Amino acid sequence: PVVYYRFTDDHLRGVIKSLRERRNILKEKAIDPYATSPEITPPVSKNHRPTHRSTRSSSKLILSILLHLSLKSLNPSPSSSSDRRYIAWLTFVALAFNYNMWFCWARLAFPFHNDTANPFWVFFDVLSDVVYIVDIMIWQPRLQFVKAGDIIEIAKVHYRKSTRFKVDLFSVLPFDLLSLRFNFSSIYRLNRCFKSFFEFSDRLESIMAKAYIWRVARTTGYLLFMLHLNSCAFYVASVYQGLASTPWVYDGEGTAYLRCYYFAVRSLINIGGLPLPETTFEVTFQMCNFFIGVFVFSSLIGQMRDVIGAATAGQTYFRASMDGCVNYMNTYTIPRMVQSRVRTWYNYTWASQGMLDEAELLDKMPLVMRTAIAVDVNLATFQKIALFQGCDQQMLVDMLLRLKSIIYLPGDFVVKKGDIGKEMYVIKSGEVQVVGGPDNSIVFVTLKAGCVFGEISLLQSAKDGGNRRTANVRAHGFANLFVLEKKDLFDILVHYPESEKVLKDKQRGLALFGQKPPTPKILKIFNFRKGGILDKLKVTANS
């Protein structure tokens, strides 16, 4: 083809490629791989033609998509509030904010401005202003936000109409230019302190595995900043009274900031040992210091207590549960060996899971989240079980949601030969051994994580002892197993008649061929209807 404008041609080809990728993604999302309905969705008729109105709507949709894609091609992809790149950028914004919060007040109170230091102050001021401006012009207008449940990516208009934009715009107004007319001072930069810092704190907490560490650090930062402000106020009060004019004020020796910060620590924390104030101004200042110190530090100590309490809430619950169980065993004089094993179970369960019952955590999640976790953890294992091959995929997902986690200690018997089989087991972690012999000293096989056993007993009938366990299975070390009960399986099969038919066919095959399920080839050869060849062979075998 003849190409007149290479850039336009490449751009249109890129847009078409993006639209095709978007169409494929939407098609994949529209297809439910775990459909439960036995009815097949009727295919779209090839003779169906959209109406003029639908064609016009589709044209508008395509034009809007083209506009959106063209904007995305000219600019980097929009930043999500949960995106780590955005949180990394907020780190720079937080550094610029803290620079202004700490140094603006210090430069305003202490004599830090001189011909040598001023160029450095100007450089860092300009650098922090650049960070503010980039955040306002590039990052904030392109954040996603939720409106009536829809995620809106082009949020420039929304941001510019918000109160946050007005505050951000006020925080970058160049009052610094007044320094060209008046003296160079940081008082013209106090509007920089109105920039939001708490968004960075909230976003950082949402991605940290141990968020209480950041909460403790943040509370400590609040404490240090209050001491910083008090040290600035003390130096201003000393200058007002006159340096070294009384024993209470700063005497002008040593590093002014460190000496004033030392006074703030001893004064706000009420340590004592400071010179007594002499003038009315000094007494008033010191009384305000004491009142502010009591209020601020009581609030910070209470906040620190809440942070530490929230961080150790799980450990406290674990200790309370274990102590209650120990008291119960002591009340009923349980043997020491049993008590030791119970303590071992508590300690290992908490160390391996961080909780005593995973179901308590999962029950608080919506069904879609629980399904996603269950599918990610165990669906691949269930799909490999020969007994469930050929069953509905959604049935397997429902089975995963019924699994219960149980931890067995070293030497515990999971199942014993001759017991009634009511459960099947999936090994989550650890190992179990199939043992036998007079004293169970012979190990026939060792099953590791991902293996399944006991699934045959779910289908065997209690008639003629068909659901009895045929071997001893013992935990080799600590073993964490998922358990599916027979009652849960039959409750699920009520909704999947086709899968129930498949399992019943395999059940009849097990009755003839033993514990190993028959292959699909054998199932195809034999007729499993009542009165068929298999039933006749079964009667012959029984006789």
Side-chain angles (χ1 to χ4, degrees), residues 341 345 407-415 432 473-477:
R341 293 181 65 83
W345 180 86
I407 292 179
Y408 289 88
L409 303 183
D412 283 350
F413 279 91
V414 181
V415 298
V432 298
V473 180
R474 183 176 60 194
H476 180 62

Side-chain angles (χ1 to χ4, degrees), residues 282-445:
E282 294 175 355
V283 172
T284 304
F285 186 90
Q286 192 61 42
M287 289 178 60
C288 293
N289 257 1
F290 287 150
F291 284 122
I292 293 175
V294 170
F295 174 74
V296 171
F297 278 89
S298 61
S299 302
L300 292 179
I301 289 174
Q303 185 176 0
M304 190 72 73
R305 181 202 61 190
D306 294 340
V307 169
I308 297 176
T312 59
Q315 187 75 19
T316 303
Y317 171 74
F318 161 70
R319 290 296 177 189
S321 300
M322 186 173 178
D323 292 343
C325 183
V326 170
N327 292 334
Y328 174 83
M329 292 187 295
N330 291 332
T331 301
Y332 289 94
T333 319
I334 305 298
R336 293 293 178 183
M337 183 180 67
V338 177
Q339 293 191 24
S340 177
R341 293 181 65 83
V342 170
R343 290 192 181 94
T344 302
W345 180 86
Y346 266 99
N347 291 325
Y348 178 78
T349 302
W350 179 259
S352 60
Q353 299 181 168
M355 61 188 70
L356 297 178
D357 188 5
E358 293 180 345
E360 293 182 2
L361 175 64
L362 297 177
D363 288 343
K364 299 177 182 178
M365 296 183 179
L367 179 61
V368 62
M369 298 296 180
R370 283 184 284 145
T371 303
I373 294 176
V375 168
D376 183 68
V377 174
N378 291 314
L379 182 60
T381 302
F382 263 69
Q383 288 175 337
K384 296 177 183 178
I385 302 176
L387 183 64
F388 298 124
Q389 290 179 356
C391 295
D392 195 324
Q393 293 291 316
Q394 183 60 39
M395 189 199 78
L396 299 183
V397 174
D398 291 345
M399 290 171 58
L400 297 179
L401 296 175
R402 302 292 186 97
L403 294 179
K404 301 176 183 178
S405 178
I406 298 179
I407 292 179
Y408 289 88
L409 303 183
D412 283 350
F413 279 91
V414 181
V415 298
K416 288 187 177 181
K417 185 177 181 179
D419 289 348
I420 301 296
K422 300 178 182 178
E423 308 92 2
M424 65 166 287
Y425 300 88
V426 181
I427 303 176
K428 179 182 179 183
S429 62
E431 298 178 353
V432 298
Q433 295 176 336
V434 181
V435 297
D439 54 352
N440 294 316
S441 59
I442 302 176
V443 179
F444 298 111
V445 66

